[in-house]
Amino acid sequence: MGDEVLLYNTLSNVLLKLGKNDAESLMKIKSGKISVDSLEEQTKKALVDNKILISNDDIELAKFKLLKQYNRMDDSVLALTIAPTLACNLHCAYCFEQQHPSVFMNDDVENDIISFIKGHVNAKYVHITWFGGEPLLYFKRIVSLTKKIKSIQGIEKYEAEIITNGVNMNEKIASSLRELNINTVHVTIDGLDSANNERRIGLNHEDTFAKIVRGLDLLAKDDNISKTVRVNTDKTNSEQFVKVYDFVRKRYCGLNFNVYAGFIKDSYGCGNSCVGCLNNTEQGKFLIKSYKKLGVPTETLLPPRYNYECIARLKNGYLIGPKGDLYKCWTDLGNLSMCLGYINDLDNISIDLLSEYMVGNDPFCDSECMKCVLFPICGGGCPHSRIMNQFHGAKNDNCCFAKENIEEFIETYYHLQQSINNF
């Protein structure tokens, strides 16, 4: 890039623009030709602050591992995903809900959940993700459970989010979300108008797109609630992501909305997916092309480093099904072969399955991951995919979608950022 060099650090997730002389000095330091002390103090400080210059690689890796271990075993946090029902009012070809009966949670399971939460006596922060099925089909159970959770003594902070198809969002529900401590709403749109309706099929082939947008309009009235629009993306609708992004950007300009592409995958790695899934390389190329077209310097182009852990590896992270069935991953919901047990019978939890998720195929024991410069970003990939590979014969690709073209990701982000605010 002429006399300028871009320096991206995956440990701190920082992108710096360096002059040619500073870049050459860094290369000489790396090769041992000059010492760090030869740098100007201001430059040296900036490089140290952003973890470009560190004293020991092994120590930084150990610190990263320790941070992950702390997060995994933190007793003060209880992260639960709760599915009040497996029923759904849509029939999407790529979704698991159609394979399961329309089970609804009863009062006994609700009481067991409250006892389960109370049993985590050290938990000061409780986070609930309402999931399904379609959780709004049993909204009264969400209301009932929330009231009981908020009354539990010892909980210092309670927050929630909800994953919904948005079809049943109405004014009454939208206006009650804050009272229920739901501060984030995730809604899926797979395309504009008929493109969405052909994939997210409603009762009697209703106009689900129009219903979802009406729900988003209601949510838009409260800017304190974060709205995330996920576009489930595969080869059959890949052109729709940019259209949905642009639609949301224009309709809800300046409001608290975020749009991202959620890539559909064959969750169990059997290679028999009913849709044309994009592989990791294709996902990377798709994102670069899409954000160039949108002209948006999204942080997705610099895959963010997440210090927190997936609930699959959290000591106090579980998914609870409507019958009180316990799992470690959302993907497993309803699959009894991956069920840990039941919340009313904790003495008989499957230690084998729990061990698979908690420590099986730990990326810190993976020599390939340890050599990869992107490891601080991806953390070794999806825990579910990793254990399905090791213990269940799957062949998932766990690498970050940016791995094969990280330079293009960085340069794309830089040019887009530069075009709007002289980065």
Side-chain angles (χ1 to χ4, degrees), residues 51-78:
K51 298 186 180 297
I52 309 298
L53 293 177
I54 56 176
S55 58
N56 187 297
D57 284 343
D58 291 335
I59 290 177
E60 290 300 322
L61 180 59
K63 285 161 60 178
F64 182 45
K65 183 176 181 179
L66 180 62
L67 177 62
K68 288 287 189 180
Q69 295 292 349
Y70 273 145
N71 288 341
R72 292 179 189 181
M73 305 305 291
D74 188 354
D75 265 346
S76 69
V77 176
L78 179 60

Side-chain angles (χ1 to χ4, degrees), residues 116-393:
F116 182 77
I117 296 174
K118 288 180 177 179
H120 290 76
V121 294
N122 294 323
K124 304 301 179 185
Y125 171 55
V126 175
H127 184 278
I128 304 293
T129 301
W130 300 107
F131 189 57
E134 171 46 47
L136 292 187
L137 290 179
Y138 207 16
F139 187 67
K140 67 178 182 180
R141 184 65 68 185
I142 294 175
V143 174
S144 177
L145 264 168
T146 300
K147 289 180 178 178
K148 292 181 179 180
I149 294 171
K150 291 174 71 172
S151 68
I152 297 175
Q153 294 186 353
I155 297 178
E156 297 176 0
K157 186 177 182 181
Y158 169 66
E159 291 183 310
E161 59 187 317
I162 187 168
I163 299 172
T164 171
N165 59 41
V167 171
N168 277 23
M169 182 62 65
N170 57 41
E171 191 165 353
K172 181 180 179 181
I173 293 174
S175 62
S176 65
L177 295 177
R178 294 282 296 282
E179 183 181 348
L180 298 171
N181 291 54
I182 296 175
N183 51 31
T184 303
V185 179
H186 304 271
V187 178
T188 301
I189 301 177
D190 282 5
L192 297 184
D193 304 308
S194 61
N196 175 84
N197 297 343
E198 289 173 3
R199 290 166 61 88
R200 304 184 65 73
I201 304 169
L203 184 65
N204 298 322
H205 293 271
E206 62 186 327
D207 188 348
T208 57
F209 177 77
K211 288 193 171 186
I212 294 169
V213 171
R214 282 198 293 270
L216 292 177
D217 288 347
L218 293 170
L219 292 169
K221 295 179 180 180
D222 189 344
D223 206 40
N224 290 310
I225 292 178
S226 177
K227 280 75 64 174
T228 298
V229 176
R230 172 187 169 111
V231 184
N232 284 331
T233 303
D234 56 49
K235 293 178 181 178
T236 67
N237 76 325
S238 58
E239 79 286 353
Q240 291 295 321
F241 170 67
V242 169
K243 296 178 180 179
V244 172
Y245 194 112
D246 205 41
F247 171 83
V248 173
R249 175 169 55 178
K250 292 175 179 177
R251 190 178 184 93
Y252 307 111
C253 180
L255 301 178
N256 194 357
F257 277 80
N258 175 54
V259 183
Y260 77 100
F263 295 106
I264 295 174
K265 64 178 182 178
D266 173 13
S267 301
Y268 286 86
C270 63
N272 294 324
S273 178
C274 60
V275 293
C277 301
L278 296 166
N279 63 36
N280 284 8
T281 300
E282 291 169 333
Q283 291 174 20
K285 292 179 179 179
F286 168 82
L287 289 174
I288 291 171
K289 180 180 178 181
S290 297
Y291 287 112
K292 280 182 177 179
K293 189 171 183 178
L294 288 164
V296 178
T298 173
E299 295 300 325
T300 303
L301 294 171
L302 292 183
R305 172 187 170 185
Y306 296 114
N307 290 329
Y308 59 80
E309 272 283 11
C310 171
I311 66 167
R313 290 202 188 103
L314 290 182
K315 177 184 178 182
N316 288 347
Y318 298 96
L319 184 149
I320 304 174
K323 290 185 176 181
D325 35 331
L326 275 176
Y327 307 87
K328 289 297 288 179
C329 178
W330 297 4
T331 305
D332 294 333
L333 179 59
N335 179 7
L336 294 183
S337 68
M338 299 300 287
C339 177
L340 295 171
Y342 293 83
I343 56 174
N344 62 356
D345 189 18
L346 298 179
D347 290 336
N348 289 310
I349 293 296
S350 171
I351 299 301
D352 289 353
L353 192 54
L354 186 63
S355 299
E356 284 184 18
Y357 267 118
M358 291 291 293
V359 296
N361 210 330
D362 191 316
F364 285 97
C365 300
D366 187 326
S367 60
E368 290 301 312
C369 286
M370 292 299 93
K371 292 185 294 185
C372 181
V373 296
L374 292 183
F375 178 67
I377 291 173
C378 80
C382 170
H384 181 272
S385 293
R386 295 186 69 90
I387 73 156
M388 293 308 296
N389 284 356
Q390 180 166 344
F391 301 106
H392 302 275

